[in-house]
Amino acid sequence: MINLEVKGLNETLKEELAVVRTENTDVLERAQKGEEKYADSLGWLDTEEWADDAALKVIEDLAARIRREAQAFVLIGVGGSNNAARSVIEAIQLAGTPEIIYAGNTLSPNALNKMLKQLEGKDFWIDCIAKNFETLEPGSSFRILRKALKERYGDQANEHVICTGTRGSSLDQLCQDNGYIFIDFPLNIGGRFTAMSNVGLLPMAVAGIDVREVVRGARDAQTALRTQSPDENTAYEYACLRNLYYRHGWKLEMLSSFEPQFRHFYYWWTQLFAESEGKDGKGIFPVTGEFTEQLHSIGQYIQDGENMIFETFLDVKEQQDSLVIENDGLKDHFDYLDGKDFFDINKAAFHATVTAHSTKFPCNVFTIGRLDAYHFGQLFWFFQFACYLSCGIMGVNPFDQPGVEAYKVRMFKELGKE
Amino acid sequence: MINLEVKGLNETLKEELAVVRTENTDVLERAQKGEEKYADSLGWLDTEEWADDAALKVIEDLAARIRREAQAFVLIGVGGSNNAARSVIEAIQLAGTPEIIYAGNTLSPNALNKMLKQLEGKDFWIDCIAKNFETLEPGSSFRILRKALKERYGDQANEHVICTGTRGSSLDQLCQDNGYIFIDFPLNIGGRFTAMSNVGLLPMAVAGIDVREVVRGARDAQTALRTQSPDENTAYEYACLRNLYYRHGWKLEMLSSFEPQFRHFYYWWTQLFAESEGKDGKGIFPVTGEFTEQLHSIGQYIQDGENMIFETFLDVKEQQDSLVIENDGLKDHFDYLDGKDFFDINKAAFHATVTAHSTKFPCNVFTIGRLDAYHFGQLFWFFQFACYLSCGIMGVNPFDQPGVEAYKVRMFKELGKE
């Protein structure tokens, strides 16, 4: 299971944490059962609902067919419709699997033209993922990709289209009209919680990821965190810590890691917390640190700037890659590195950073066993549940996002949408 | 010149801004001349010092040779040693020029092995850029890349090595001992201010960027901003605005744009401000928004979360790319987009976002004419000078970074460095 170690808590904070943990046990108990008021958003709370054996069989069969036929697979989706899949794919995609190309996440003609260029001369499939098929980016990208398919495949174009949509939506209708393959976007899950469903799992499977391992990881996290008591529940501990820090004025949480493979997981995590918690004038603002590189840009601020950031580190225990530094006889003054493995050097930098930063503010250190499909599943479910708890303690609804309408209303008006 | 429009300032803020602009004219005057106390860090204040015609000639000749011989060019550098070049290269690199590969910016064996794999079978040169050749990432990457060169070129390996270092440094000595090409890292410029020197310009030139245009842009910004009065000086206005916002509790600045080509420019900008301003317990924390994509992750927080962020938008006036949405006869409910160009749709999203966000907090909107080499030059010099001014108003030294030592001391101890 995911391990949490906390550094830099003084005695006062420790005492206050004990109080927060005692006072919010009802939040944990309610979440473990699933609250009736959020019933239309809790389809992720039991992975059996949308990622059971039957669902995985459909995903695997469809993915196998695409992998035989396609050199590229275009994921049309934005935010919750692409972040989970992309997190895993960009981290651990297997060699020799179709190239995964992302669309539906921008309105920049420069970016879209580059995307179309990447597809030139390649056999490809597209998957349009949209819960609410009114969102501009996927809707507009779907149009230009339908055109690209038509140019390449003519009358057979429709055979290369999958839509992941909700039953009864206009996307569902479009599939029926045109013979596209339709698979379910869970009606009772908001985008940012859909990792363990067709939304997240089909693209992963196309990229050669073992989705049964992903789901097994999520399920193991679920089994533990939905039954563990307040004293032993790591997601609850993390949710309590976040709220404690927040009340002390640490209003930014920096998710940091020394492994760039987590880059796209950061985006998933950022959306999860920003969109769930950032409302009613409240919320911890999520930021991220890709170390060691960004120690050379934001490291100075973290150490000496305004004391308003706390940090959450993601660490991987097992060594999975190796590269040893040899001495080539030149006088480069780096002899202290002779024969050392970058794995160990990177770990030394990690330990030094946690030690240095925790002199200023509290640091949470999460450790997972390996960076693989199974542990990504754990991470998804863990943070989803922790986010649910954290919002409960903060007193906000984790599952809505009323604020995103503000610019959309103005934009649709400017574009002449009725 | 870069244009600045400010949205969302109420009458009180406007009056307070007038006061800030009146009270800090001495900061502008001193910076325009260059302060004696910062003499060893102001080599960028006159682009003639390190990017005059003679320097550019050397860069162009060397780049031309590399472009003839190499399929890949490895930039070994971290932070200030790679961010400026990478900003421009990733945005506007010309097709058919050597692939630019980045090293010296990570300790992850996974990332380094991927980098080495990218080089397999390619003719390549390396450029090790380091002001202080004690930094771990470039030093260690240089070692593994020397080995890769040796394996490919044997006795001719040294002919593929450039070092950008300071005179008299251990890197200089290494060049003399091994016959590497040595070019100057300016002694009197800190890394994050070195865009207009060999540090930033050689990699750009290798990537086919017209570096004379970059420098011309910087010089035009310099000529304007070093002579304009407080009333007409946009960099000064921006520096005053930032400090005004900061005093009102908007402690995060989000640099946002609707053009993903700015992605790496964000990293440059982030380092510039985080490292210059984040000290003595002060400083605005720089964050970035890549829109429209991130509107689907952090948009909710920006609109409805804690009111502690102000926003600075980067906009490009001229249309440089086009992609028109056609109607293919399907009932997709996106007919309001028929015949529209993504350029215009993206602009509509931009205007709607500025309008929505500026109801909550002030928004600065910078507009440049085109996204090209010339305007990148303007942006670099503009923000460097604005940062110098902003730090002056805030009362911190823009040119040091004492806080980055904290983890380094611990790390070097753990690694057994004497």
Side-chain angles (χ1 to χ4, degrees), chain B residues 120-389:
Chain B
E120 278 175 11
K122 288 181 188 143
D123 276 310
F124 67 101
W125 280 59
I126 67 176
D127 179 11
C128 182
I129 307 177
K131 184 170 190 182
N132 170 355
F133 192 55
E134 292 193 355
T135 305
L136 193 52
E137 293 87 341
S140 55
S141 273
F142 193 16
R143 277 201 172 191
I144 59 170
L145 283 156
R146 289 201 303 261
K147 188 182 170 204
L149 278 174
K150 197 98 185 167
E151 284 166 3
R152 185 163 178 91
Y153 297 107
D155 290 346
Q156 271 75 54
N158 291 3
E159 294 167 24
H160 294 252
V161 180
I162 301 162
C163 294
T164 307
T166 48
R167 299 264 159 196
S169 68
S170 61
L171 196 54
D172 184 0
Q173 188 60 49
L174 214 57
C175 289
Q176 292 180 35
D177 293 348
N178 298 281
Y180 304 149
I181 295 172
F182 175 88
I183 57 175
D184 280 301
F185 191 120
L187 261 167
N188 61 348
I189 312 185
R192 58 190 180 273
F193 288 85
T194 53
M196 296 305 122
S197 75
N198 291 330
V199 175
L201 297 173
L202 177 66
M204 290 184 212
V206 172
I209 311 292
D210 183 344
V211 291
R212 286 189 190 260
E213 278 296 289
V214 181
V215 174
R216 189 171 69 86
R219 202 165 295 161
D220 284 354
Q222 169 190 329
T223 304
L225 298 170
R226 288 190 69 181
T227 54
Q228 285 169 337
S229 71
D231 287 343
E232 56 181 2
N233 197 300
T234 308
Y236 180 63
E237 183 184 359
Y238 173 58
C240 290
L241 283 164
R242 298 180 87 249
N243 277 274
L244 173 67
Y245 303 155
Y246 180 63
R247 289 170 200 171
H248 276 271
W250 287 299
K251 294 194 175 182
L252 280 75
E253 177 174 17
M254 176 169 285
L255 184 69
S256 299
S257 161
F258 285 67
E259 181 40 66
Q261 286 174 280
F262 281 118
R263 186 173 303 161
H264 279 272
F265 181 76
Y266 285 177
Y267 299 152
W268 176 85
W269 178 88
T270 297
Q271 181 189 4
L272 179 69
F273 280 98
E275 211 160 69
S276 302
E277 209 174 64
K279 53 196 65 159
D280 307 339
K282 295 194 250 185
I284 297 168
F285 187 71
V287 295
T288 59
E290 186 173 310
F291 299 156
T292 55
E293 179 155 21
Q294 289 195 299
L295 287 174
H296 297 269
S297 66
I298 50 176
Q300 165 65 35
Y301 190 106
I302 295 170
Q303 198 76 52
D304 279 351
E306 286 258 353
N307 195 355
M308 60 183 177
I309 306 171
F310 71 91
E311 203 164 6
T312 295
F313 289 91
L314 264 188
D315 186 35
V316 181
K317 196 171 177 184
E318 196 176 306
Q319 175 166 5
Q320 293 171 264
D321 296 280
S322 173
L323 184 65
V324 173
I325 304 188
E326 293 167 22
N327 186 327
D328 57 2
L330 302 196
K331 289 178 190 150
D332 65 0
H333 302 287
F334 285 95
D335 293 349
Y336 64 96
L337 300 178
D338 288 354
K340 285 204 170 72
D341 194 311
F342 273 102
F343 175 80
D344 298 307
I345 300 170
N346 205 19
K347 280 281 182 206
F350 162 64
H351 291 303
T353 304
V354 174
T355 306
H357 290 183
S358 62
T359 59
K360 184 172 176 191
F361 47 78
C363 293
N364 307 317
V365 181
F366 283 116
T367 309
I368 59 169
R370 281 176 63 83
L371 208 161
D372 60 12
Y374 173 79
H375 288 88
F376 267 111
Q378 280 200 355
L379 287 171
F380 288 132
W381 208 93
F382 178 91
F383 280 111
Q384 288 176 190
F385 191 63
C387 182
Y388 180 11
L389 297 173

Side-chain angles (χ1 to χ4, degrees), chain A residues 78-79 82 105-114 116 133-137 139-140 143-144 146-147 170 174 178 180 246 251-252 254 258-261 270-271 274-275 278-285 287 292-293 295-298 300-301 303-306 308-309 321-323 325-328 330-338 340 342-343 345-346 348-349 351-353 355-356 359 401-404 406-407 410-412 414-417, chain B residues 78-79 82 105-114 116 133-137 139-140 143-144 146-147 170 174 178 180 246 251-252 254 258-261 270-271 274-275 278-285 287 292-293 295-301 303-306 308-309 321-323 325-328 330-338 340 342-343 345-346 348-349 351-353 355-356 359 401-404 406-407 410-412 414-417:
Chain A
V78 69
N82 85 12
N105 58 348
T106 184
L107 298 171
S108 155
N110 181 279
L112 289 165
N113 283 325
K114 276 183 197 155
L116 291 172
F133 192 54
E134 292 194 354
T135 304
L136 194 52
E137 293 87 343
S140 54
R143 277 200 171 192
I144 60 170
R146 289 201 301 261
K147 189 182 169 203
S170 61
L174 213 57
N178 299 280
Y180 304 148
Y246 180 64
K251 293 193 175 183
L252 280 76
M254 176 169 286
F258 285 68
E259 181 41 65
Q261 286 174 279
T270 296
Q271 180 189 6
E275 212 160 69
K279 52 195 66 156
D280 308 340
K282 298 193 247 185
I284 296 167
F285 188 71
V287 295
T292 56
E293 178 155 22
L295 287 174
H296 297 269
S297 66
I298 50 176
Q300 164 65 36
Y301 190 105
Q303 197 77 50
D304 277 352
E306 286 259 352
M308 60 182 178
I309 306 170
D321 295 279
S322 172
L323 183 64
I325 305 188
E326 294 167 22
N327 186 330
D328 57 2
L330 302 197
K331 289 177 191 150
D332 64 0
H333 302 287
F334 286 93
D335 292 351
Y336 64 97
L337 300 177
D338 289 354
K340 285 204 170 73
F342 274 101
F343 174 82
I345 299 171
N346 205 19
H351 292 302
T353 303
T355 307
T359 59
Q401 52 282 329
V404 298
Y407 84 94
R410 289 174 172 84
M411 181 176 65
F412 285 138
E414 192 162 340
L415 290 171
K417 188 189 176 200
Chain B
V78 69
N82 86 12
N105 57 348
T106 184
L107 297 171
S108 154
N110 182 280
L112 289 165
N113 282 326
K114 278 183 196 155
L116 291 171
F133 192 55
E134 292 193 355
T135 305
L136 193 52
E137 293 87 341
S140 55
R143 277 201 172 191
I144 59 170
R146 289 201 303 261
K147 188 182 170 204
S170 61
L174 214 57
N178 298 281
Y180 304 149
Y246 180 63
K251 294 194 175 182
L252 280 75
M254 176 169 285
F258 285 67
E259 181 40 66
Q261 286 174 280
T270 297
Q271 181 189 4
E275 211 160 69
K279 53 196 65 159
D280 307 339
K282 295 194 250 185
I284 297 168
F285 187 71
V287 295
T292 55
E293 179 155 21
L295 287 174
H296 297 269
S297 66
I298 50 176
Q300 165 65 35
Y301 190 106
Q303 198 76 52
D304 279 351
E306 286 258 353
M308 60 183 177
I309 306 171
D321 296 280
S322 173
L323 184 65
I325 304 188
E326 293 167 22
N327 186 327
D328 57 2
L330 302 196
K331 289 178 190 150
D332 65 0
H333 302 287
F334 285 95
D335 293 349
Y336 64 96
L337 300 178
D338 288 354
K340 285 204 170 72
F342 273 102
F343 175 80
I345 300 170
N346 205 19
H351 291 303
T353 304
T355 306
T359 59
Q401 52 282 330
V404 299
Y407 83 94
R410 289 173 172 86
M411 180 176 66
F412 286 138
E414 191 160 342
L415 290 170
K417 188 189 176 201

Side-chain angles (χ1 to χ4, degrees), chain A residues 92-295:
Chain A
I92 58 168
Q93 179 173 17
L94 298 185
T97 51
E99 186 181 359
I100 313 295
I101 291 173
Y102 301 89
N105 58 348
T106 184
L107 298 171
S108 155
N110 181 279
L112 289 165
N113 283 325
K114 276 183 197 155
M115 181 272 295
L116 291 172
K117 205 159 179 60
Q118 272 185 287
L119 286 175
E120 278 176 12
K122 287 180 190 147
D123 276 312
F124 68 101
W125 280 60
I126 66 176
D127 179 11
C128 182
I129 308 177
K131 183 171 190 182
N132 169 356
F133 192 54
E134 292 194 354
T135 304
L136 194 52
E137 293 87 343
S140 54
S141 273
F142 192 17
R143 277 200 171 192
I144 60 170
L145 283 156
R146 289 201 301 261
K147 189 182 169 203
L149 279 174
K150 196 94 184 171
E151 284 166 3
R152 185 163 179 92
Y153 297 108
D155 289 346
Q156 272 75 55
N158 291 2
E159 294 167 23
H160 295 251
V161 180
I162 301 161
C163 293
T164 308
T166 49
R167 298 265 161 195
S169 68
S170 61
L171 196 56
D172 185 359
Q173 189 58 49
L174 213 57
C175 288
Q176 293 180 35
D177 294 348
N178 299 280
Y180 304 148
I181 296 171
F182 175 88
I183 56 175
D184 280 302
F185 191 120
L187 260 166
N188 61 348
I189 311 185
R192 58 189 180 273
F193 288 85
T194 54
M196 295 307 122
S197 74
N198 291 329
V199 175
L201 298 173
L202 177 66
M204 290 184 212
V206 173
I209 310 292
D210 184 343
V211 291
R212 287 190 189 262
E213 277 299 288
V214 181
V215 174
R216 189 172 68 86
R219 203 166 294 162
D220 283 355
Q222 169 190 328
T223 304
L225 299 170
R226 287 189 69 179
T227 53
Q228 285 168 336
S229 71
D231 287 343
E232 55 181 3
N233 197 300
T234 308
Y236 179 64
E237 182 184 0
Y238 173 58
C240 290
L241 284 165
R242 298 180 86 250
N243 277 274
L244 173 68
Y245 302 156
Y246 180 64
R247 291 170 199 170
H248 276 271
W250 289 299
K251 293 193 175 183
L252 280 76
E253 177 175 17
M254 176 169 286
L255 184 68
S256 299
S257 162
F258 285 68
E259 181 41 65
Q261 286 174 279
F262 281 119
R263 185 174 302 162
H264 279 271
F265 182 77
Y266 285 177
Y267 300 153
W268 176 85
W269 178 89
T270 296
Q271 180 189 6
L272 179 69
F273 280 98
E275 212 160 69
S276 302
E277 208 174 64
K279 52 195 66 156
D280 308 340
K282 298 193 247 185
I284 296 167
F285 188 71
V287 295
T288 58
E290 187 173 309
F291 298 157
T292 56
E293 178 155 22
Q294 289 196 298
L295 287 174

